Amino acid sequence: MSDVHVVVLAAGQGTRMKSALPKVLHKVAGRAMVDHVLRTAGALSPSTVTLVVGHKAELLQDHVGREAGVSFAVQQPQLGTAHALQQAEPVLAGRSGTVILLSGDVPLLSPETLHALLAAHTAADAAATVVTAEVERPYGYGRIVRQDGEIARIVEERDASPAERQIREINAGIYAFDLAGLFDALRTIASQNAQGEFYLTDLIAVYRRGRRTVETLKVRDPQEVRGVNSRTELAEVSRIVRQAKNEELMAAGVTLIDPATTYIDRDVEIGADTVIHPGVVIEGQTRIGAACEILANVRITDSEIGDRVTINNFCVVIGSRIAQGAAIGPFAHLRPDSDVGESAKVGNFVELKKTTLGPGAKVNHLSYIGDATVGAKVNIGAGVITCNYDGEKKHQTVIEDGAFIGSDAQLVAPVRVGRGAFVAAGSSITQDVPAGALGIARSRQINLDGWVDRKKK
Ligand code: UD1
Ligand code: CA
């Protein structure tokens, strides 16, 4: 098979998004649109991948990264889709084979359709093959105009006659082109249309007039070629991805109490017999084990959760690890780099940051534990605070295995509480407490007998 070159158009501003971000950086189910498209393109193992950037090109280049095996072609100004493809000429000069042209704003395209496009294009030895779809609401898309059953041209919504607007077969904006003669043909395209742009879609009529073979490939599921031009379409396309993800998870043995209000990103993994309640958001690169229960209104981002973990209502867990059998919340906040050991417990209104809790440790009520290493079976009483910040630097607190920290103690870091030691309730601990010792640091209580009566007199 001849070489495959992928070109992704992503230079447009996406005016209808009304956004400071380039359109293709908007996320669909937790992943930027451009990343969806680049990942799908990767399925073809192409010889080259070129991303055409323009509007806020820097942002897009930084996002994709310069080492990702992607060449960038800058289109400045953005004069339309034909003009955009022309910018890839320096990358493709002197090469031969097939160009697969993708739109950065068509994120749901499947690898299967791309393989089918390449196969159909190669089998027909076509100059161009256009992916099309039959849709209920063709508004906004280019329409496929056929003569005697064969594609004759594509007409854009704004340039279409009332009769052409009735056509329900639309242009998906995804094509295969023979590289031979492609750039010469693009140079013949004019911009006499409603938008004054150089339309790539005009290439079809150019090829047909030149008696070159143009084929079409109609996708079975029109959802996968939906373009995103507005925030409404962004939400619709995201819903399609989420629905597919939810169905995949349920088929693999995960219970979703209410799939309609469960928001799980595409890359998330969840084990069988885990139960997810309504209003749960699971984002990024998160892995959840088997037989867990995630109660309502929990958010988990980029975290690793073991088997049989319970996360009670209204917890936020970010960039953290929770080992098997642990229980969290309700109303707990695990900030990045928290590591909760096996069967440990983190209770109501507890915040952890850069903190390791050993196996079986408990922090059950109203605590802030930051920059701390807490050993196995440590019990941290209600209201305990690590004073980890002196206004300039963060300091470490170490609490060794089996220690007991009484309620409302403050541990002024850097400080260490030794193995099995006790800290008396209400203490402000500023020095290390040796193993097995009781640390007590509070003023002594005095009772003034009869004081109340004396005051009344
Ligand atoms: C385009 C097609 C339309 C098709 C639809 C499918 C044209 C003229 N029209 O319309 O037939 O039904 O896609 O989704 O091709 N871009 C550039 N540089 C530019 C202009 C656009 O890189 O100068 C990029 C955009 O960033 C976007 C893609 O090309 O990723 C499509 O552009 P857009 O303006 O969204 O075209 P549509 O109006 O959707
Ligand atoms: Ca579009």
Side-chain angles (χ1 to χ4, degrees), residues 16 23 105 227-229:
R16 287 163 279 179
K23 175 165 70 176
D105 66 348
V228 174
N229 299 301

Side-chain angles (χ1 to χ4, degrees), residues 79-91:
L79 302 178
T81 45
H83 180 251
L85 175 53
Q86 279 179 291
Q87 312 311 310
E89 188 168 11
V91 179

Side-chain angles (χ1 to χ4, degrees), residues 264-406:
I264 303 176
D265 281 358
R266 199 143 175 176
D267 296 339
V268 170
E269 293 171 31
I270 305 180
D273 287 325
T274 285
V275 178
I276 315 266
H277 289 253
V280 170
V281 178
I282 308 178
E283 303 174 311
Q285 308 295 314
T286 293
R287 289 221 323 257
I288 297 180
C292 293
E293 184 147 24
I294 317 288
L295 286 109
N297 300 309
V298 164
R299 172 177 159 220
I300 305 173
T301 305
D302 296 328
S303 293
E304 187 107 7
I305 317 280
D307 296 339
R308 297 183 313 284
V309 167
T310 301
I311 302 188
N312 235 304
N313 307 61
F314 299 103
C315 288
V316 175
V317 177
I318 297 170
S320 292
R321 288 164 301 281
I322 303 175
Q324 60 177 347
I328 310 291
F331 299 100
H333 184 185
L334 271 55
R335 291 168 54 203
D337 286 326
S338 296
D339 203 324
V340 175
E342 192 174 327
S343 303
K345 286 207 161 64
V346 176
N348 315 261
F349 304 103
V350 170
E351 175 181 344
L352 301 186
K353 189 214 74 173
K354 284 194 182 153
T355 283
T356 301
L357 288 190
K362 289 180 185 162
V363 196
N364 273 334
H365 328 270
L366 300 158
S367 277
Y368 169 60
I369 309 294
D371 300 303
T373 306
V374 177
K377 299 231 161 114
V378 165
N379 192 322
I380 296 183
V384 171
I385 303 290
T386 53
C387 309
N388 61 328
Y389 185 48
D390 61 11
E392 279 172 28
K393 281 197 195 129
K394 304 285 167 66
H395 301 282
Q396 298 291 318
T397 299
V398 178
I399 305 173
E400 294 179 358
D401 293 352
F404 182 99
I405 313 297

Side-chain angles (χ1 to χ4, degrees), residues 36 40 49 61 93 100 122 173 203 207 231-232 250 262 318 334 361 392 395 410 457:
H36 282 273
T40 306
V49 177
Q61 280 167 301
I100 298 287
T122 310
L203 190 67
Y207 275 0
R231 306 262 181 175
T232 302
M250 289 189 283
T262 306
I318 297 170
L334 271 55
E392 279 172 28
H395 301 282
Q410 302 106 53
K457 276 180 205 149

Side-chain angles (χ1 to χ4, degrees), residues 55-123:
H55 179 74
K56 302 249 167 103
E58 281 290 301
L59 277 181
L60 206 45
Q61 280 167 301
D62 289 346
H63 174 88
V64 172
R66 282 154 229 262
E67 294 86 42
V70 173
S71 308
F72 296 98
V74 180
Q75 183 198 18
Q76 209 63 269
Q78 293 91 47
L79 302 178
T81 45
H83 180 251
L85 175 53
Q86 279 179 291
Q87 312 311 310
E89 188 168 11
V91 179
L92 298 176
R95 296 183 185 262
S96 64
T98 304
V99 173
I100 298 287
L101 186 106
L102 304 176
S103 256
D105 66 348
V106 182
L108 303 190
L109 186 73
S110 69
E112 292 73 28
T113 296
L114 271 194
H115 282 296
L117 169 63
L118 189 57
H121 180 75
T122 310

Side-chain angles (χ1 to χ4, degrees), residues 407-423:
S407 294
D408 198 32
Q410 302 106 53
L411 304 170
V412 181
V415 73
R416 173 181 291 264
V417 177
R419 184 179 258 271
F422 267 60
V423 166

